mmCIF file of all heavy atoms in Angstrom:
data_model
loop_
_atom_site.group_PDB
_atom_site.id
_atom_site.type_symbol
_atom_site.label_atom_id
_atom_site.label_comp_id
_atom_site.label_asym_id
_atom_site.label_seq_id
_atom_site.Cartn_x
_atom_site.Cartn_y
_atom_site.Cartn_z
ATOM 1 N N PRO A 1 -2.398 -80.758 -31.834
ATOM 2 C CA PRO A 1 -3.264 -79.769 -32.475
ATOM 3 C C PRO A 1 -3.901 -78.817 -31.468
ATOM 4 O O PRO A 1 -4.427 -79.253 -30.433
ATOM 5 C CB PRO A 1 -4.324 -80.630 -33.177
ATOM 6 C CG PRO A 1 -3.641 -81.932 -33.422
ATOM 7 C CD PRO A 1 -2.759 -82.138 -32.215
ATOM 8 N N VAL A 2 -3.807 -77.531 -31.768
ATOM 9 C CA VAL A 2 -4.408 -76.513 -30.911
ATOM 10 C C VAL A 2 -5.931 -76.552 -31.061
ATOM 11 O O VAL A 2 -6.455 -76.811 -32.133
ATOM 12 C CB VAL A 2 -3.860 -75.124 -31.280
ATOM 13 C CG1 VAL A 2 -4.634 -74.017 -30.592
ATOM 14 C CG2 VAL A 2 -2.379 -75.036 -30.939
ATOM 15 N N GLY A 3 -6.619 -76.275 -29.965
ATOM 16 C CA GLY A 3 -8.074 -76.209 -29.993
ATOM 17 C C GLY A 3 -8.764 -77.470 -29.525
ATOM 18 O O GLY A 3 -9.994 -77.504 -29.421
ATOM 19 N N GLY A 4 -7.991 -78.512 -29.228
ATOM 20 C CA GLY A 4 -8.583 -79.784 -28.812
ATOM 21 C C GLY A 4 -8.643 -79.938 -27.302
ATOM 22 O O GLY A 4 -8.012 -79.209 -26.537
ATOM 23 N N THR A 5 -9.450 -80.892 -26.889
ATOM 24 C CA THR A 5 -9.538 -81.278 -25.478
ATOM 25 C C THR A 5 -8.973 -82.684 -25.343
ATOM 26 O O THR A 5 -9.281 -83.569 -26.158
ATOM 27 C CB THR A 5 -10.995 -81.240 -24.987
ATOM 28 O OG1 THR A 5 -11.484 -79.895 -25.107
ATOM 29 C CG2 THR A 5 -11.087 -81.668 -23.529
ATOM 30 N N TYR A 6 -8.140 -82.893 -24.329
ATOM 31 C CA TYR A 6 -7.415 -84.151 -24.184
ATOM 32 C C TYR A 6 -7.504 -84.653 -22.755
ATOM 33 O O TYR A 6 -7.635 -83.860 -21.811
ATOM 34 C CB TYR A 6 -5.944 -83.949 -24.571
ATOM 35 C CG TYR A 6 -5.761 -83.382 -25.955
ATOM 36 C CD1 TYR A 6 -5.722 -82.008 -26.164
ATOM 37 C CD2 TYR A 6 -5.658 -84.216 -27.061
ATOM 38 C CE1 TYR A 6 -5.584 -81.478 -27.429
ATOM 39 C CE2 TYR A 6 -5.515 -83.695 -28.338
ATOM 40 C CZ TYR A 6 -5.477 -82.321 -28.515
ATOM 41 O OH TYR A 6 -5.345 -81.809 -29.777
ATOM 42 N N VAL A 7 -7.420 -85.974 -22.616
ATOM 43 C CA VAL A 7 -7.381 -86.607 -21.303
ATOM 44 C C VAL A 7 -5.989 -87.191 -21.093
ATOM 45 O O VAL A 7 -5.495 -87.953 -21.933
ATOM 46 C CB VAL A 7 -8.442 -87.718 -21.173
ATOM 47 C CG1 VAL A 7 -8.346 -88.378 -19.795
ATOM 48 C CG2 VAL A 7 -9.836 -87.153 -21.401
ATOM 49 N N LEU A 8 -5.355 -86.814 -19.976
ATOM 50 C CA LEU A 8 -4.041 -87.335 -19.624
ATOM 51 C C LEU A 8 -4.199 -88.362 -18.508
ATOM 52 O O LEU A 8 -4.829 -88.080 -17.475
ATOM 53 C CB LEU A 8 -3.128 -86.212 -19.148
ATOM 54 C CG LEU A 8 -2.782 -85.125 -20.180
ATOM 55 C CD1 LEU A 8 -1.978 -84.012 -19.524
ATOM 56 C CD2 LEU A 8 -2.011 -85.712 -21.356
ATOM 57 N N THR A 9 -3.644 -89.536 -18.725
ATOM 58 C CA THR A 9 -3.640 -90.576 -17.694
ATOM 59 C C THR A 9 -2.210 -91.030 -17.467
ATOM 60 O O THR A 9 -1.368 -90.974 -18.381
ATOM 61 C CB THR A 9 -4.511 -91.774 -18.100
ATOM 62 O OG1 THR A 9 -4.064 -92.286 -19.365
ATOM 63 C CG2 THR A 9 -5.980 -91.375 -18.224
ATOM 64 N N VAL A 10 -1.927 -91.469 -16.232
ATOM 65 C CA VAL A 10 -0.564 -91.856 -15.854
ATOM 66 C C VAL A 10 -0.576 -93.253 -15.249
ATOM 67 O O VAL A 10 -1.431 -93.576 -14.405
ATOM 68 C CB VAL A 10 0.036 -90.862 -14.841
ATOM 69 C CG1 VAL A 10 1.480 -91.254 -14.519
ATOM 70 C CG2 VAL A 10 -0.020 -89.437 -15.369
ATOM 71 N N THR A 11 0.374 -94.065 -15.671
ATOM 72 C CA THR A 11 0.600 -95.378 -15.073
ATOM 73 C C THR A 11 2.020 -95.401 -14.520
ATOM 74 O O THR A 11 2.986 -95.146 -15.249
ATOM 75 C CB THR A 11 0.433 -96.498 -16.116
ATOM 76 O OG1 THR A 11 -0.868 -96.431 -16.683
ATOM 77 C CG2 THR A 11 0.636 -97.855 -15.473
ATOM 78 N N ALA A 12 2.136 -95.659 -13.213
ATOM 79 C CA ALA A 12 3.456 -95.717 -12.573
ATOM 80 C C ALA A 12 3.420 -96.749 -11.450
ATOM 81 O O ALA A 12 2.399 -96.923 -10.779
ATOM 82 C CB ALA A 12 3.850 -94.346 -12.023
ATOM 83 N N LYS A 13 4.528 -97.426 -11.244
ATOM 84 C CA LYS A 13 4.604 -98.486 -10.245
ATOM 85 C C LYS A 13 4.315 -97.948 -8.849
ATOM 86 O O LYS A 13 4.912 -96.966 -8.415
ATOM 87 C CB LYS A 13 5.988 -99.129 -10.297
ATOM 88 C CG LYS A 13 6.119 -100.389 -9.458
ATOM 89 C CD LYS A 13 7.475 -101.029 -9.657
ATOM 90 C CE LYS A 13 7.600 -102.315 -8.858
ATOM 91 N NZ LYS A 13 8.926 -102.946 -9.049
ATOM 92 N N ARG A 14 3.341 -98.605 -8.141
ATOM 93 C CA ARG A 14 2.959 -98.317 -6.767
ATOM 94 C C ARG A 14 2.365 -96.921 -6.564
ATOM 95 O O ARG A 14 2.268 -96.432 -5.449
ATOM 96 C CB ARG A 14 4.147 -98.521 -5.810
ATOM 97 C CG ARG A 14 4.616 -99.976 -5.719
ATOM 98 C CD ARG A 14 5.650 -100.164 -4.620
ATOM 99 N NE ARG A 14 6.851 -99.373 -4.872
ATOM 100 C CZ ARG A 14 7.843 -99.783 -5.655
ATOM 101 N NH1 ARG A 14 7.784 -100.964 -6.260
ATOM 102 N NH2 ARG A 14 8.913 -99.031 -5.812
ATOM 103 N N LEU A 15 1.962 -96.260 -7.679
ATOM 104 C CA LEU A 15 1.327 -94.943 -7.583
ATOM 105 C C LEU A 15 0.035 -94.934 -8.380
ATOM 106 O O LEU A 15 -0.088 -95.649 -9.389
ATOM 107 C CB LEU A 15 2.258 -93.847 -8.117
ATOM 108 C CG LEU A 15 3.569 -93.606 -7.356
ATOM 109 C CD1 LEU A 15 4.452 -92.643 -8.138
ATOM 110 C CD2 LEU A 15 3.284 -93.074 -5.951
ATOM 111 N N ALA A 16 -0.901 -94.140 -7.937
ATOM 112 C CA ALA A 16 -2.164 -93.989 -8.657
ATOM 113 C C ALA A 16 -2.394 -92.513 -8.967
ATOM 114 O O ALA A 16 -2.097 -91.629 -8.142
ATOM 115 C CB ALA A 16 -3.318 -94.529 -7.831
ATOM 116 N N PHE A 17 -2.903 -92.249 -10.161
ATOM 117 C CA PHE A 17 -3.155 -90.880 -10.611
ATOM 118 C C PHE A 17 -4.592 -90.782 -11.122
ATOM 119 O O PHE A 17 -5.093 -91.701 -11.775
ATOM 120 C CB PHE A 17 -2.212 -90.503 -11.758
ATOM 121 C CG PHE A 17 -0.766 -90.416 -11.380
ATOM 122 C CD1 PHE A 17 -0.008 -91.574 -11.207
ATOM 123 C CD2 PHE A 17 -0.155 -89.189 -11.209
ATOM 124 C CE1 PHE A 17 1.333 -91.498 -10.881
ATOM 125 C CE2 PHE A 17 1.190 -89.106 -10.874
ATOM 126 C CZ PHE A 17 1.942 -90.258 -10.707
ATOM 127 N N SER A 18 -5.231 -89.677 -10.837
ATOM 128 C CA SER A 18 -6.554 -89.425 -11.401
ATOM 129 C C SER A 18 -6.395 -88.870 -12.811
ATOM 130 O O SER A 18 -5.458 -88.087 -13.070
ATOM 131 C CB SER A 18 -7.324 -88.419 -10.542
ATOM 132 O OG SER A 18 -7.534 -88.926 -9.243
ATOM 133 N N PRO A 19 -7.273 -89.224 -13.748
ATOM 134 C CA PRO A 19 -7.195 -88.654 -15.097
ATOM 135 C C PRO A 19 -7.326 -87.126 -15.038
ATOM 136 O O PRO A 19 -8.027 -86.578 -14.190
ATOM 137 C CB PRO A 19 -8.379 -89.283 -15.829
ATOM 138 C CG PRO A 19 -8.691 -90.521 -15.042
ATOM 139 C CD PRO A 19 -8.374 -90.194 -13.613
ATOM 140 N N ARG A 20 -6.648 -86.464 -15.952
ATOM 141 C CA ARG A 20 -6.721 -85.002 -16.003
ATOM 142 C C ARG A 20 -7.161 -84.568 -17.390
ATOM 143 O O ARG A 20 -6.602 -85.017 -18.397
ATOM 144 C CB ARG A 20 -5.366 -84.389 -15.670
ATOM 145 C CG ARG A 20 -5.383 -82.870 -15.690
ATOM 146 C CD ARG A 20 -4.211 -82.291 -14.970
ATOM 147 N NE ARG A 20 -4.214 -80.839 -15.031
ATOM 148 C CZ ARG A 20 -3.255 -80.081 -14.529
ATOM 149 N NH1 ARG A 20 -2.218 -80.646 -13.901
ATOM 150 N NH2 ARG A 20 -3.314 -78.768 -14.621
ATOM 151 N N VAL A 21 -8.174 -83.701 -17.432
ATOM 152 C CA VAL A 21 -8.705 -83.197 -18.700
ATOM 153 C C VAL A 21 -8.136 -81.802 -18.933
ATOM 154 O O VAL A 21 -8.193 -80.933 -18.046
ATOM 155 C CB VAL A 21 -10.244 -83.148 -18.674
ATOM 156 C CG1 VAL A 21 -10.769 -82.593 -20.005
ATOM 157 C CG2 VAL A 21 -10.816 -84.537 -18.406
ATOM 158 N N ILE A 22 -7.576 -81.589 -20.132
ATOM 159 C CA ILE A 22 -7.023 -80.280 -20.468
ATOM 160 C C ILE A 22 -7.567 -79.826 -21.829
ATOM 161 O O ILE A 22 -7.874 -80.642 -22.694
ATOM 162 C CB ILE A 22 -5.475 -80.299 -20.518
ATOM 163 C CG1 ILE A 22 -4.975 -81.270 -21.592
ATOM 164 C CG2 ILE A 22 -4.906 -80.655 -19.156
ATOM 165 C CD1 ILE A 22 -3.484 -81.165 -21.862
ATOM 166 N N SER A 23 -7.692 -78.517 -21.985
ATOM 167 C CA SER A 23 -8.014 -77.909 -23.277
ATOM 168 C C SER A 23 -6.794 -77.123 -23.725
ATOM 169 O O SER A 23 -6.257 -76.316 -22.956
ATOM 170 C CB SER A 23 -9.233 -76.980 -23.161
ATOM 171 O OG SER A 23 -10.388 -77.720 -22.828
ATOM 172 N N VAL A 24 -6.357 -77.351 -24.956
ATOM 173 C CA VAL A 24 -5.105 -76.778 -25.442
ATOM 174 C C VAL A 24 -5.404 -75.619 -26.386
ATOM 175 O O VAL A 24 -6.001 -75.811 -27.446
ATOM 176 C CB VAL A 24 -4.255 -77.838 -26.167
ATOM 177 C CG1 VAL A 24 -2.988 -77.208 -26.745
ATOM 178 C CG2 VAL A 24 -3.894 -78.960 -25.211
ATOM 179 N N SER A 25 -5.001 -74.410 -25.974
ATOM 180 C CA SER A 25 -5.157 -73.233 -26.821
ATOM 181 C C SER A 25 -3.814 -72.597 -27.151
ATOM 182 O O SER A 25 -3.718 -71.733 -28.017
ATOM 183 C CB SER A 25 -6.053 -72.192 -26.133
ATOM 184 O OG SER A 25 -5.506 -71.796 -24.894
ATOM 185 N N ASP A 26 -2.778 -73.014 -26.457
ATOM 186 C CA ASP A 26 -1.430 -72.481 -26.662
ATOM 187 C C ASP A 26 -0.441 -73.492 -26.077
ATOM 188 O O ASP A 26 -0.853 -74.538 -25.564
ATOM 189 C CB ASP A 26 -1.290 -71.125 -25.982
ATOM 190 C CG ASP A 26 -0.167 -70.281 -26.594
ATOM 191 O OD1 ASP A 26 0.653 -70.848 -27.344
ATOM 192 O OD2 ASP A 26 -0.129 -69.069 -26.319
ATOM 193 N N GLU A 27 0.831 -73.175 -26.143
ATOM 194 C CA GLU A 27 1.821 -74.083 -25.575
ATOM 195 C C GLU A 27 1.511 -74.332 -24.097
ATOM 196 O O GLU A 27 1.222 -73.407 -23.343
ATOM 197 C CB GLU A 27 3.223 -73.507 -25.714
ATOM 198 C CG GLU A 27 4.301 -74.475 -25.255
ATOM 199 C CD GLU A 27 5.702 -73.945 -25.495
ATOM 200 O OE1 GLU A 27 6.070 -72.970 -24.828
ATOM 201 O OE2 GLU A 27 6.396 -74.507 -26.356
ATOM 202 N N ALA A 28 1.529 -75.587 -23.692
ATOM 203 C CA ALA A 28 1.191 -75.961 -22.314
ATOM 204 C C ALA A 28 2.255 -76.919 -21.800
ATOM 205 O O ALA A 28 2.098 -78.140 -21.853
ATOM 206 C CB ALA A 28 -0.189 -76.616 -22.263
ATOM 207 N N THR A 29 3.354 -76.355 -21.312
ATOM 208 C CA THR A 29 4.478 -77.185 -20.859
ATOM 209 C C THR A 29 4.614 -77.172 -19.341
ATOM 210 O O THR A 29 5.683 -77.491 -18.817
ATOM 211 C CB THR A 29 5.791 -76.712 -21.512
ATOM 212 O OG1 THR A 29 5.953 -75.313 -21.275
ATOM 213 C CG2 THR A 29 5.773 -76.975 -23.012
ATOM 214 N N ASN A 30 3.542 -76.790 -18.666
ATOM 215 C CA ASN A 30 3.555 -76.797 -17.191
ATOM 216 C C ASN A 30 2.378 -77.591 -16.636
ATOM 217 O O ASN A 30 1.833 -77.263 -15.590
ATOM 218 C CB ASN A 30 3.539 -75.361 -16.647
ATOM 219 C CG ASN A 30 2.305 -74.587 -17.094
ATOM 220 O OD1 ASN A 30 1.586 -75.027 -17.992
ATOM 221 N ND2 ASN A 30 2.064 -73.440 -16.481
ATOM 222 N N ILE A 31 1.997 -78.636 -17.388
ATOM 223 C CA ILE A 31 0.916 -79.505 -16.932
ATOM 224 C C ILE A 31 1.533 -80.582 -16.044
ATOM 225 O O ILE A 31 1.958 -81.644 -16.522
ATOM 226 C CB ILE A 31 0.156 -80.140 -18.121
ATOM 227 C CG1 ILE A 31 -0.304 -79.057 -19.107
ATOM 228 C CG2 ILE A 31 -1.034 -80.940 -17.611
ATOM 229 C CD1 ILE A 31 -1.260 -78.043 -18.523
ATOM 230 N N ASN A 32 1.625 -80.293 -14.758
ATOM 231 C CA ASN A 32 2.250 -81.225 -13.822
ATOM 232 C C ASN A 32 1.229 -82.249 -13.340
ATOM 233 O O ASN A 32 0.084 -81.901 -13.015
ATOM 234 C CB ASN A 32 2.837 -80.467 -12.636
ATOM 235 C CG ASN A 32 3.935 -79.498 -13.074
ATOM 236 O OD1 ASN A 32 4.599 -79.726 -14.090
ATOM 237 N ND2 ASN A 32 4.119 -78.435 -12.324
ATOM 238 N N LEU A 33 1.634 -83.503 -13.307
ATOM 239 C CA LEU A 33 0.755 -84.619 -12.953
ATOM 240 C C LEU A 33 1.204 -85.173 -11.605
ATOM 241 O O LEU A 33 2.315 -85.693 -11.485
ATOM 242 C CB LEU A 33 0.802 -85.687 -14.042
ATOM 243 C CG LEU A 33 0.463 -85.172 -15.459
ATOM 244 C CD1 LEU A 33 0.675 -86.264 -16.493
ATOM 245 C CD2 LEU A 33 -0.973 -84.658 -15.507
ATOM 246 N N VAL A 34 0.341 -85.034 -10.608
ATOM 247 C CA VAL A 34 0.692 -85.365 -9.225
ATOM 248 C C VAL A 34 -0.094 -86.593 -8.776
ATOM 249 O O VAL A 34 -1.317 -86.672 -8.978
ATOM 250 C CB VAL A 34 0.410 -84.180 -8.289
ATOM 251 C CG1 VAL A 34 0.823 -84.516 -6.857
ATOM 252 C CG2 VAL A 34 1.151 -82.929 -8.776
ATOM 253 N N ALA A 35 0.609 -87.545 -8.189
ATOM 254 C CA ALA A 35 -0.047 -88.771 -7.716
ATOM 255 C C ALA A 35 -1.019 -88.450 -6.580
ATOM 256 O O ALA A 35 -0.868 -87.467 -5.845
ATOM 257 C CB ALA A 35 1.001 -89.766 -7.234
ATOM 258 N N ASN A 36 -2.031 -89.296 -6.430
ATOM 259 C CA ASN A 36 -2.978 -89.146 -5.333
ATOM 260 C C ASN A 36 -2.260 -89.328 -3.997
ATOM 261 O O ASN A 36 -1.273 -90.065 -3.895
ATOM 262 C CB ASN A 36 -4.104 -90.167 -5.458
ATOM 263 C CG ASN A 36 -4.887 -89.985 -6.762
ATOM 264 O OD1 ASN A 36 -4.914 -88.886 -7.332
ATOM 265 N ND2 ASN A 36 -5.494 -91.059 -7.235
ATOM 266 N N VAL A 37 -2.785 -88.688 -2.946
ATOM 267 C CA VAL A 37 -2.171 -88.806 -1.617
ATOM 268 C C VAL A 37 -2.164 -90.240 -1.165
ATOM 269 O O VAL A 37 -1.150 -90.794 -0.714
ATOM 270 C CB VAL A 37 -2.903 -87.910 -0.598
ATOM 271 C CG1 VAL A 37 -2.354 -88.150 0.802
ATOM 272 C CG2 VAL A 37 -2.784 -86.447 -0.979
#
């Protein structure tokens, strides 16, 4: 649904990711999720 705010979290073996908060107003297909250094 457009207009909402969402939290993206990632679980992957031997990697850690910080949660990412996004607000969706249009198509968002370039939300890249990068593991912490």
Side-chain angles (χ1 to χ4, degrees):
V2 170
T5 298
Y6 305 89
V7 179
L8 296 175
T9 56
V10 183
T11 302
K13 189 175 182 180
R14 295 188 298 276
L15 296 172
F17 293 77
S18 298
R20 181 162 178 183
V21 179
I22 61 170
S23 295
V24 177
S25 59
D26 203 346
E27 185 175 68
T29 53
N30 60 347
I31 307 299
N32 298 332
L33 305 174
V34 182
N36 299 335
V37 174

